[in-house]
Amino acid sequence: MPSLQDELFPSTPGKFKIDRNHPMNRHFHRCFASTTTMFFWALFLIALTASYLSFQSFVDSGSRYFSVSWGGIQWEKQLRHSAQTHRPNGLSVLVTGAAGFVGTHVSLALKKRGDGVVGLDNFNSYYDPSLKKARKSLLSDHGIFVVHGDLNDARLLEKLFDVVVFSHVMHLAAQAGVRYAMENPNSYVHSNIAGLVTLLEACKSANPQPAVVWASSSSVYGLNEKVPFSESDRTDQPASLYAATKKAGEEITHTYNHIYGLSITGLRFFTVYGPWGRPDMAYFSFTRNILQGKPITVFRGKNRVDLARDFTYIDDIVKGCLGSLDTSGKSTGSGGKKTGPAAYRIFNLGNTSPVTVPTLVSILERHLKVKAKKNMVEMPGNGDVPFTHANISSARKELGYKPTTDLQTGLKKFVRWYLSYYGYNHGKPVN
């Protein structure tokens, strides 16, 4: 009698026959048919899933492609035209944060003297984006193309460096403001640290490498009590997250200079003010509230000591930025590999004449011809520092930096711009 093993499996491969009338064979047939059906259904489902995933990948890729706001022949043509120089040995500069306060003024100054300029800005909503768009329009009127994009978009940066051979990068994009860090700390890490690294990666991989000038901040001095603040002072005790990200930026840039031969200059700005300024700055919000008849909050330090700032007019900051670009020296890397040492510098850019906040308010009252309603409040523990005061001897020596605008003159120019931009006539809004 054949064994069960013999009945289920043929003795001669390829000649397996089934007796359909045998009970065991009928049972086997049903199982075999069921298993085969399940096998084919499984194959079908796998194929269907693979097809769907392939299609979804295609759709996602297409969506990413069509959602990108940059690229194309016309876009590249605008880039090259904007980056074209119009003076002998002119610079070709990528300005990040070009639609920002300092970025707009630096871009215009570069273009005015015949340098090529391409702007990059993400137009975030930290403050009213309409002001940034107005600055972009101003830049466009002067032949400066501003790309709408994010610093963390490595593909965009790679494309920019592929289309234009930039001799310099003026890195001014950042998440600004000391107090906002308590509301949205991640935005500071995203822009001031991750964005900086993404940009430096693009710079070190470029061939030739550009020289980099970037905006650090006087905030890195933290609660330093030695005055005036000097570049050689300790900066390892920041008083705010904003200051900490700027200090981190100084360490990161030093690393890229050391490893990749990038020529890097860091500029510690001291309370920049002027036309087209940032609405979150005290002088700007004071002006708005005074004109609207609203009270302003004036902070005081411990023991009712008035806060003081080394207010620096925008034109003086621009001089320091251009001087830094002109004296930066070349990067020494090639395709991401260092071939020799490159310059690494840090400079204070300030006015050297600190003014108390109540004095600032008095000057604004005089120019606006309106008396402010003041609420004097003790400064909260939000990261602000009681005073700033710049030692600019290094910038004087190396950059020829010499501030010329005092606060009285600078605020007069700001107020004139403010009244014109926001449509005021003799201190009253124009309907």
Side-chain angles (χ1 to χ4, degrees):
M1 178 180 290
S3 68
L4 183 61
Q5 182 78 7
D6 293 335
E7 288 188 350
L8 289 177
F9 297 97
S11 57
T12 306
K15 295 184 179 180
F16 179 42
K17 294 183 180 179
I18 300 176
D19 181 2
R20 297 182 183 278
N21 294 320
H22 194 285
M24 182 64 73
N25 288 342
R26 286 197 299 272
H27 177 70
F28 171 78
H29 176 71
R30 285 194 298 271
C31 289
F32 182 78
S34 175
T35 302
T36 302
T37 302
M38 289 177 65
F39 175 73
F40 281 114
W41 270 110
L43 281 179
F44 174 74
L45 289 173
I46 290 171
L48 186 64
T49 302
S51 298
Y52 171 76
L53 291 175
S54 297
F55 175 74
Q56 190 64 38
S57 176
F58 171 79
V59 170
D60 290 343
S61 298
S63 298
R64 284 195 297 270
Y65 176 81
F66 288 112
S67 65
V68 168
S69 60
W70 51 268
I73 295 174
Q74 185 60 31
W75 182 82
E76 292 184 14
K77 184 178 179 181
Q78 288 178 290
L79 277 184
R80 292 191 181 96
H81 179 73
S82 188
Q84 198 169 21
T85 61
H86 297 280
R87 69 181 178 98
N89 301 315
L91 312 182
S92 182
V93 188
L94 172 64
V95 180
T96 71
F101 172 33
V102 179
T104 296
H105 285 273
V106 170
S107 297
L108 290 171
L110 287 169
K111 198 70 175 183
K112 184 178 180 180
R113 71 177 196 175
D115 293 321
V117 182
V118 172
L120 175 66
D121 205 290
N122 69 354
F123 295 90
N124 68 26
S125 57
Y126 168 60
Y127 59 81
D128 185 5
S130 67
L131 182 57
K132 298 178 183 179
K133 291 175 182 176
R135 297 191 193 118
K136 179 184 178 181
S137 179
L138 176 65
L139 294 174
S140 180
D141 290 343
H142 288 79
I144 300 171
F145 181 50
V146 180
V147 177
H148 189 164
D150 194 278
L151 267 180
N152 287 281
D153 188 342
R155 287 177 58 240
L156 169 57
L157 293 179
E158 182 182 1
K159 185 66 175 179
L160 289 172
F161 282 96
D162 182 53
V163 175
V164 177
V165 179
F166 293 107
S167 62
H168 294 74
V169 170
M170 185 76 225
H171 176 45
L172 298 168
Q175 176 58 63
V178 169
R179 298 166 196 166
Y180 183 62
M182 300 182 73
E183 300 175 34
N184 189 2
N186 289 335
S187 65
Y188 289 79
V189 177
H190 176 81
S191 296
N192 301 0
I193 297 179
L196 174 62
V197 170
T198 305
L199 176 65
L200 291 174
E201 279 292 304
C203 291
K204 65 96 170 172
S205 299
N207 196 5
Q209 293 176 336
V212 179
V213 178
W214 73 288
S216 183
S217 170
S218 62
S219 296
V220 300
Y221 290 109
L223 300 175
N224 183 19
E225 295 183 355
K226 172 184 166 293
V227 290
F229 299 164
S230 174
E231 292 90 344
S232 60
D233 292 345
R234 286 184 61 179
T235 55
D236 57 354
Q237 295 178 319
S240 66
L241 179 61
Y242 169 70
T245 61
K246 286 299 186 179
K247 176 58 180 176
E250 293 188 354
E251 303 303 325
I252 290 168
T253 53
H254 184 274
T255 301
Y256 274 81
N257 165 264
H258 174 68
I259 297 176
Y260 301 111
L262 284 174
S263 169
I264 296 181
T265 303
L267 302 176
R268 293 173 178 170
F269 294 164
F270 281 72
T271 316
V272 190
Y273 73 100
W276 295 99
R278 280 178 21 220
D280 63 313
M281 297 290 285
Y283 72 95
F284 200 115
S285 61
F286 286 173
T287 299
R288 180 179 61 242
N289 286 356
I290 290 171
L291 286 171
Q292 293 177 357
K294 298 178 180 179
I296 63 173
T297 300
V298 179
F299 292 122
R300 275 181 170 167
K302 293 180 180 179
N303 301 319
R304 302 175 67 85
V305 174
D306 292 328
L307 303 186
R309 293 288 182 270
D310 197 339
F311 295 101
T312 314
Y313 189 63
I314 183 61
D315 288 359
D316 292 326
I317 289 292
V318 170
K319 293 174 188 174
C321 290
L322 269 57
S324 298
L325 290 168
D326 292 338
T327 61
S328 59
K330 293 184 178 181
S331 293
T332 60
S334 177
K337 294 182 179 179
K338 180 180 178 180
T339 60
Y344 182 82
R345 311 177 300 172
I346 291 181
F347 297 111
N348 288 336
L349 294 186
N351 193 53
T352 74
S353 301
V355 176
T356 65
V357 175
T359 300
L360 165 76
V361 174
S362 297
I363 296 172
L364 284 175
E365 289 175 325
R366 196 175 311 127
H367 290 315
L368 294 170
K369 298 179 174 59
V370 181
K371 194 70 175 174
K373 301 173 183 176
K374 298 185 283 287
N375 289 330
M376 308 300 290
V377 178
E378 184 174 337
M379 183 176 65
N382 55 17
D384 263 336
V385 295
F387 62 86
T388 59
H389 185 182
N391 178 334
I392 61 170
S393 57
S394 292
R396 284 185 189 274
K397 180 181 178 181
E398 302 294 329
L399 310 178
Y401 175 70
K402 185 179 180 181
T404 58
T405 307
D406 60 26
L407 187 61
Q408 179 81 241
T409 304
L411 284 180
K412 183 177 182 179
K413 293 180 179 179
F414 166 74
V415 167
R416 188 185 306 134
W417 168 83
Y418 187 97
L419 296 177
S420 173
Y421 182 79
Y422 288 101
Y424 281 83
N425 186 14
H426 300 297
K428 296 181 181 180
V430 178
N431 295 326

